[in-house]
Amino acid sequence: MRLKLVPDNTAFDFFRFARFTFGASCVAMVVSLVLFFMVGLNFGIDFRGGTTIRTESTSSVDVAAYRAALQPLNLGDVSITQVFDPSFGPEKNVAMVRIQAQEGEEAISAETTATIETALQAVDPTITFPSVESVGPKVSGELVQTAFLAVGTSLIAILFYIWLRFEWQFAVGAVAALFHDVILTIGIFAAFQIKFDLTTIAAILTIIGYSINDTVVIFDRLRENLIKFKKMPLRDVMNVSVNETLSRTVMTSGTTLIALIALLVLGGDVIRGFVFAITWGIVVGTYSSVYVAKNIVLFLGVNREEKKDPLAGTQFANAEKQQ
């Protein structure tokens, strides 16, 4: 016996509510862009600038106690993480305390640093500050530009790959779905003012990779079925293709979400933003693969004339098979 989350030979009509689903996606993207430009993102220390303090002590690091000691100081966004290294002995316990840039200051003043040290020494008298480093607004601004450039470059690279592997209609559909996923992720971060930092950018790049993988699986099956069902209308071929890959989609997304939800609930504040971004991205990525990418391809149409290599979108489609 084997577990079946999806029955064999499903025949769902994924185009039945196409106008509603595609229209809802367009509205959600517009709302997300409005939130991004009108409300803005709650940038973390990486993008706003701030100070990183390395602490060392002979006692074990208590992140919750450190955070409680710094909370009355009203320093704004404070991130505390314990540093693990196999080379550290039992007498060397290290933590990184990251504090957002204070109003009107390039870096926190010596007086503020002394106040922080006094507050933490009340928790652990052996604590010291071996290093204090600051990131100014200029550097943080460059990080913002570099982060968004990384996302944009990845989308362009994927567009080029899908065009080589399939046809340009598939490339446009795939990248439209990826834009949908990225914009909706940014929109929900703007709406709920969840901290947006470099780990969120890493999550968005992960979302892009996951979403395009799901889309390529459906497109591969669609390309095969276009040859198999030459006389069947394109809409029906697409429905058949999505139904044939539905079990794989549900299993992959479902098992991934189980692990992510566990991390979201039990992982703590340090990784919560990162895990939330990926969890949200898995949901919208699966949705866009089924309801956005293929709708774009249906709208643009596909050249169904038989090619010399019936599975090839371009001369590069089967490059990995030719090696």
Side-chain angles (χ1 to χ4, degrees):
M1 294 180 65
R2 62 187 180 92
L3 178 65
K4 292 184 180 180
L5 296 181
V6 178
D8 293 331
N9 303 319
T10 57
F12 297 113
D13 184 1
F14 291 97
F15 287 97
R16 183 178 180 182
F17 303 106
R19 291 184 179 180
F20 173 78
T21 55
F22 193 71
S25 293
C26 293
V27 171
M29 291 176 66
V30 171
V31 171
S32 296
L33 290 173
V34 170
L35 287 170
F36 174 69
F37 288 109
M38 298 298 292
V39 179
L41 294 170
N42 178 22
F43 287 117
I45 295 171
D46 298 324
F47 296 145
R48 283 192 297 191
T51 299
T52 300
I53 301 173
R54 178 186 174 94
T55 71
E56 289 187 11
S57 69
T58 56
S59 304
S60 60
V61 175
D62 188 338
V63 174
Y66 284 15
R67 185 175 288 110
L70 295 179
Q71 189 172 3
L73 302 181
N74 296 320
L75 298 171
D77 184 16
V78 177
S79 172
I80 304 172
T81 56
Q82 186 174 0
V83 179
F84 295 95
D85 192 311
S87 64
F88 292 168
E91 75 290 344
K92 189 175 183 180
N93 299 278
V94 179
M96 302 298 290
V97 180
R98 309 179 74 184
I99 302 168
Q100 74 174 57
Q102 304 300 297
E103 190 69 28
E105 297 181 3
E106 184 78 12
I108 61 174
S109 63
E111 292 79 6
T112 303
T113 304
T115 303
I116 295 171
E117 187 170 11
T118 301
L120 292 179
Q121 284 178 345
V123 177
D124 181 358
T126 66
I127 201 166
T128 58
F129 287 4
S131 67
V132 179
E133 300 177 350
S134 295
V135 177
K138 182 178 180 181
V139 174
S140 61
E142 292 174 352
L143 283 175
V144 174
Q145 296 177 6
T146 304
F148 281 97
L149 180 63
V151 175
T153 303
S154 67
L155 292 174
I156 294 173
I158 289 171
L159 174 68
F160 184 66
Y161 165 76
I162 299 296
W163 171 73
L164 292 179
R165 183 67 187 270
F166 298 98
E167 295 179 356
W168 69 268
Q169 296 95 329
F170 290 83
V172 173
V175 172
L178 294 182
F179 270 109
H180 169 274
D181 301 342
V182 172
I183 291 172
L184 261 60
T185 301
I186 291 175
I188 199 168
F189 269 73
F192 294 101
Q193 288 296 287
I194 304 170
K195 185 170 65 176
F196 192 93
D197 51 22
L198 284 177
T199 60
T200 310
I201 296 297
I204 289 176
L205 293 174
T206 304
I207 292 167
I208 290 173
Y210 182 93
S211 180
I212 196 62
N213 176 69
D214 201 29
T215 303
V216 166
V217 169
I218 296 174
F219 280 177
D220 260 329
R221 185 59 59 88
L222 173 59
R223 186 174 58 177
E224 294 171 3
N225 285 337
L226 285 173
I227 304 301
K228 184 177 180 181
F229 305 107
K230 294 184 176 65
K231 303 299 182 181
M232 184 181 291
L234 179 58
R235 168 176 167 155
D236 294 338
V237 177
M238 287 184 168
N239 266 327
V240 169
S241 302
V242 177
N243 277 285
E244 288 179 349
T245 57
L246 189 59
S247 178
R248 178 262 177 203
T249 299
V250 172
M251 285 291 292
T252 304
S253 300
T255 52
T256 306
L257 283 174
I258 290 173
L260 289 172
I261 292 172
L263 285 173
L264 192 63
V265 175
L266 304 174
D269 293 335
V270 175
I271 63 171
R272 184 156 292 142
F274 173 78
V275 176
F276 174 79
I278 296 184
T279 304
W280 170 257
I282 295 297
V283 175
V284 298
T286 302
Y287 173 89
S288 67
S289 296
V290 175
Y291 287 106
V292 176
K294 67 180 182 57
N295 284 352
I296 297 290
V297 175
L298 179 64
F299 175 77
L300 294 175
V302 177
N303 181 10
R304 303 184 65 176
E305 293 180 4
E306 188 172 355
K307 303 176 179 64
K308 293 180 181 179
D309 182 355
L311 294 182
T314 70
Q315 64 269 38
F316 303 100
N318 296 317
E320 71 276 7
K321 299 179 183 179
Q322 299 170 4
Q323 294 178 354

